[in-house]
């Protein structure tokens, strides 16, 4: 039990009735006991603030940080080495688009990783290495269809919300006129 609770319990025992009547101390006598009870309940345990505990906490979190950041740095080094070996030429050097953006067929979807992103690819020629490669692209026709679908959805939502606003305003006007009518009738 916190320190303040002991003081409060001690007061309760000392204030027990001796002759059958309850004796209450004045408000000023009770207040310090209640304040001590409330403040002691929220105190942090002092064991975690000792120097040895603080050093152990700092050491633990330093090891955790070293483990996390060390793993991130190692993964970054490995990723850079893998990127240089596997990355397509158009990521590392300038390129020229030699074939227009077209939809992938079933064979290309299964064999080329560029098709998996958007379903469309374009043929590019890297200038330094003179390598032909495929790059994922976005179809202008598909983007136009998406744009008009978005516009239709936005217009529909606007119309629906406008109708809801008009209906709500009519309802509120009706309620206000009924309230005024009731007030006039009560006069």
């Amino acid at each position: 039990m916190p320190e303040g609770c002991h003081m409060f319990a001690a007061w309760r025992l000392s204030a027990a009735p001796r002759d059958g009547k309850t004796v209450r101390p004045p408000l000023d006598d009770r207040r310090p006991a209640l304040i001590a009870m409330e403040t002691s309940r929220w105190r942090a345990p002092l064991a975690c603030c000792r120097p040895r505990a603080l050093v152990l906490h700092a050491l633990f979190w330093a090891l955790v940080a070293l483990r996390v950041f060390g793993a991130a740095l190692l993964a970054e080094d490995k990723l850079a080495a893998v990127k240089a070996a596997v990355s397509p030429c158009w990521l590392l050097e300038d390129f020229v688009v030699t074939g227009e953006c077209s939809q992938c067929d079933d064979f290309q979807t299964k064999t080329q990783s560029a098709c998996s992103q958007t379903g469309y690819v374009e043929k590019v020629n890297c200038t330094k290495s003179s390598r032909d490669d495929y790059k994922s692209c976005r179809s202008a026709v598909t983007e136009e269809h998406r744009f008009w679908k978005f516009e239709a959805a936005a217009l529909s939502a606007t119309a629906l919300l406008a109708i809801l606003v008009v209906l709500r305003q009519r309802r509120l006007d009706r309620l206000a006129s009924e309230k005024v009518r009731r007030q006039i009738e009560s006069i």
Side-chain angles (χ1 to χ4, degrees), residues 54-131:
L54 290 175
V55 168
L56 288 176
H57 283 300
L59 183 62
F60 171 75
W61 288 113
L63 288 174
V64 168
L66 181 65
R67 173 82 174 159
V68 169
F69 293 125
L73 289 175
L74 287 176
E76 197 172 282
D77 292 342
K78 288 179 185 177
L79 187 61
V82 169
K83 257 189 187 177
V86 179
S87 61
C89 66
W90 51 268
L91 281 176
L92 304 172
E93 55 189 85
D94 293 334
F95 62 90
V96 177
V97 177
T98 57
E100 67 180 42
C101 189
S102 60
Q103 190 170 8
C104 298
D105 58 7
D106 291 334
F107 179 72
Q108 285 179 328
T109 305
K110 292 177 184 174
T111 58
Q112 294 179 359
S113 62
C115 283
S116 63
Q117 294 174 359
T118 60
Y120 288 87
V121 290
E122 61 187 359
K123 191 174 184 179
V124 295
N125 186 359
C126 298
T127 54
K128 289 183 182 175
S129 61
S130 297
R131 240 176 69 188

Side-chain angles (χ1 to χ4, degrees), residues 6-81:
H6 288 296
M7 290 177 17
F8 187 67
W11 170 79
R12 295 283 292 177
L13 291 175
S14 67
R18 293 191 181 115
D19 56 350
K21 296 179 182 174
T22 303
V23 178
R24 295 190 144 235
L27 185 61
D28 296 330
D29 291 343
R30 286 186 300 161
R31 190 162 285 165
L34 292 174
I35 291 172
M37 180 180 75
E38 289 180 6
T39 56
S40 65
R41 192 180 318 165
W42 300 107
R43 283 190 195 146
L46 293 179
C48 67
C49 297
R50 292 187 181 138
R52 187 180 341 164
L54 290 175
V55 168
L56 288 176
H57 283 300
L59 183 62
F60 171 75
W61 288 113
L63 288 174
V64 168
L66 181 65
R67 173 82 174 159
V68 169
F69 293 125
L73 289 175
L74 287 176
E76 197 172 282
D77 292 342
K78 288 179 185 177
L79 187 61

